[in-house]
Amino acid sequence: MNFARRFASSLVAIVAALAVAIGLMLLVDAPPFEALKLLVEGSVGSDVKIADTFMAWAPLVLTSTGLIVTFAAGLWNIGVEGQVMAGAIAASWVARTVDGPVWLLIVLTMLAGMIGGALWALLAGVLKVYGRVNEIFGGLGLTFVAQALITYLVIGPWKRPGVASTSGTEPFPEHAWLPTLPGLRISLVAVGVALVAVIIIYFMLRGTRFGLRLKAVGKNSRSAYLLGIPTTRYMLAAFAIGGALAGLAGTIQATGFLHRLVPAVSGGYGYLGILVALLANSSTIWVPPVSFFFAMISVGSTQLQLRLNLDSSLGGVLQGVLVLFTLLAQGWQSRRIAREAAEASAAPPVKLVES
Amino acid sequence: MEAALATILAAAAPLVFAVIGETITEKAGVINLSLDGSIMLSAMAGFATAFVTGNLWLGFIVAALVGMAVALLIAFASISLKLNQVAVGFVLFALTRDLSSFLGNPYVHQRLAGVPHLPIPILENIPFLGPIFFQQDLVVYGSLVLIFVAYWFIFRTRPGLKLRAVGERPEAAHARGIPVNRLRYLYTAIGGALVGLGGAAFSLDMKLGWSYQHTLNFGWIALAIVIFGGWHPYRAALGAYLFGALQIIALKLQPIFPGLSQVLPSMPFPIMILTLVIIYTDWLKRLADRFPSLREFLASEPPSGSGVPFEPE
């Protein structure tokens, strides 16, 4: 799709999403424009808020970038939420047991998180490739298992001395925390890792033999197989990469933001990452800006709850409506293009949105 | 024993509605992945309607309409716009889930009298069967009737044959003059309405009331049960009842293993997945080959046109 058309459909989607949000706020008697102002102020209105938004941005970029890899291979890795959790568990284990200088802990927790997430994703991959369980359901099932595992750890072996509640483990020792800027909650390491991941994946999908073959598997795994690409191995590799990045997101959540393991450690960044990846339309370069916009909505909408007593789920509604309208607008456009093409010649219609 | 079985029958009733609804939709070749959100939104809408109007049955109707509306959106996006069903379904899941939290906020922990018990005279006095089947409420009776009606419709009527044809062999159906996409719209809408009724069965009956993410995860479980059920109403219902039984067992074990009480509720899903792996292995197929009369019941292949858009040329 050319840039002008893509821009037009994005604009239509944004306007439509805003209209729905305003309509919803009028429905519950809330002042729409004040709420939108609060949304912006609450996410980028001060140093503290910008720092918080970036701390939501980093894990979101990581999960979305990982999902772009699995989407490129034609896999619906909806179990990404569980991979974030598995990464957080592995990182927490290192943070609780290993003693050493801060830099070493950063490296080790992140490695552990990547391994944990990758293994969890590979489980879904193996279930798909060898067990014929659709990755959507295998992944969802494993998410339930990861969630149960965290709950078990938090109330069982890793419980705080004397207290058995689901509120979380003891905070990690401070040498295992990701260092933050003074007075702010932002960790430059987290932001840096997210940026590096985007750059690596961008070049991997665009310019390497591996990336191109991976996309071939995603487009048509049968032809790719007939051309001699080991499709099974490529699919498992995509799962592993996506899972490793999700696990990294879990690590950042645990060691950089919460400083302990809690049942809600994933922060929903797995599911939200799916929306970001869909909105970015499988283009890595769009992930950072789209993630920032989504992080703004997520962080800003907590202000709506505090100041206007609006449920903060409005942020999620806004994000969902935005993606829905973008998809619908794209579908509408490609249908029109297809019809124009069909009228102009007898050539078969081009499918642009089918992934 | 009777009491436990009666409880399972009642506890699984909302899932039965959702599972049968989704089975019908998928049989026609469309996958409605939004279930976890659309059940939640219809549960909220049903409860809110009943709370505001004081009319329980209006709540059920509104819930069915909400479920139908979400399903129609998926049908429009996937059939008319040829968008990916998984993508649209997932987005609608996230959207309807958050919408239910936002719009449902004023109704959290409001009280309402639920669906009244309605023992059926004479039949309720049958020993053993009476307490299990005939001392329930209209929602449970409805779920039981639905299972048989769905089976009879899908496998024993002409329209049911067409329903299976558009899901299995859309090209062949089209060649025989069956309006494939129109029927897919129709059965996606009907399935969505049943899913919506399932939502209302939660908020107005089995899990009376409304709270933040009131029906969390039941939609995903329903989707897993549809596969477990091999797209067959009887087996799908069996899956729903097995799940209900697991829930009751978890509840009973809670006082004995208090530490496990937080973990157990999420266990049925992985068990379901494990069962899927077993189902897909060969022995089920061999069993079906040995007992041809059971083939319909044991088949576990998805409708082959499921999830694939159809374009008449």
Side-chain angles (χ1 to χ4, degrees), chain A residues 13-340:
Chain A
I14 290 176
V15 171
L18 272 179
V20 170
I22 290 170
L24 279 174
M25 282 186 264
L26 290 176
L27 196 70
V28 296
D29 285 329
F33 293 102
E34 202 187 327
L36 290 176
K37 211 178 92 194
L38 271 177
L39 207 65
V40 176
E41 274 176 10
S43 56
V44 289
S46 69
D47 290 356
V48 178
K49 301 277 193 259
I50 292 175
D52 284 353
T53 302
F54 267 107
M55 274 321 266
W57 177 82
L60 189 53
V61 164
L62 286 166
T63 52
S64 323
T65 311
L67 282 160
I68 290 215
V69 177
T70 44
F71 284 1
L75 300 164
W76 285 98
N77 185 19
I78 286 184
V80 55
E81 191 85 9
Q83 292 145 28
V84 176
M85 294 177 197
I89 293 173
S92 301
W93 176 69
V94 171
R96 288 170 58 87
T97 48
V98 179
D99 201 2
V102 173
W103 67 266
L104 182 69
L105 259 296
I106 292 178
V107 173
L108 288 181
T109 47
M110 288 196 168
L111 268 179
M114 287 172 80
I115 294 170
L119 285 179
W120 214 252
L122 276 175
L123 264 177
V126 167
L127 276 175
K128 177 187 173 75
V129 175
Y130 299 108
R132 288 182 60 209
V133 175
N134 185 302
E135 75 271 21
I136 296 174
F137 295 99
L140 279 168
L142 286 166
T143 300
F144 279 73
V145 177
Q147 184 69 69
L149 195 59
I150 293 187
T151 313
Y152 166 74
L153 288 170
V154 166
I155 58 174
W158 291 358
K159 70 173 181 205
R160 279 180 292 167
V163 208
S165 79
T166 50
S167 61
T169 61
E170 285 271 278
F172 304 140
E174 278 197 37
H175 62 253
W177 295 16
L178 286 183
T180 50
L181 289 183
L184 300 174
R185 277 193 285 188
I186 186 173
S187 154
L188 289 184
V189 179
V191 174
V193 163
L195 271 180
V196 169
V198 170
I199 293 167
I200 291 177
I201 298 299
Y202 175 77
F203 284 110
M204 187 197 85
L205 286 179
R206 215 188 151 89
T208 66
R209 190 180 147 84
F210 175 81
L212 294 177
R213 294 175 107 193
L214 192 70
K215 281 195 272 189
V217 172
K219 286 256 177 330
N220 190 335
S221 66
R222 216 180 131 66
S223 333
Y225 179 77
L226 291 174
L227 283 170
I229 300 175
T231 45
T232 305
R233 220 183 301 160
Y234 271 78
M235 282 185 187
L236 291 179
F239 269 116
I241 295 171
L245 292 177
L248 213 45
T251 310
I252 290 172
Q253 276 288 100
T255 64
F257 189 64
L258 300 158
H259 304 131
R260 58 205 171 97
L261 187 65
V262 299
V265 71
S266 78
Y269 290 126
Y271 285 153
L272 200 55
I274 297 176
L275 295 191
V276 171
L278 285 174
L279 198 56
N281 199 12
S282 298
S283 131
T284 323
I285 211 82
W286 280 94
V287 165
V290 172
S291 296
F292 191 80
F293 188 50
F294 271 42
M296 271 180 68
I297 295 176
S298 290
V299 172
S301 59
T302 52
Q303 288 298 311
L304 300 181
Q305 184 130 25
L306 295 173
R307 304 274 274 285
L308 289 179
N309 204 19
L310 278 176
D311 196 88
S312 64
S313 54
L314 183 63
V317 175
L318 201 59
Q319 290 158 340
V321 171
L322 194 61
V323 181
L324 180 67
F325 282 141
T326 306
L327 289 180
L328 292 179
Q330 282 172 2
W332 192 263
Q333 258 185 358
S334 42
R335 184 163 85 157
R336 233 185 43 200
I337 294 169
R339 279 192 180 162
E340 281 166 15

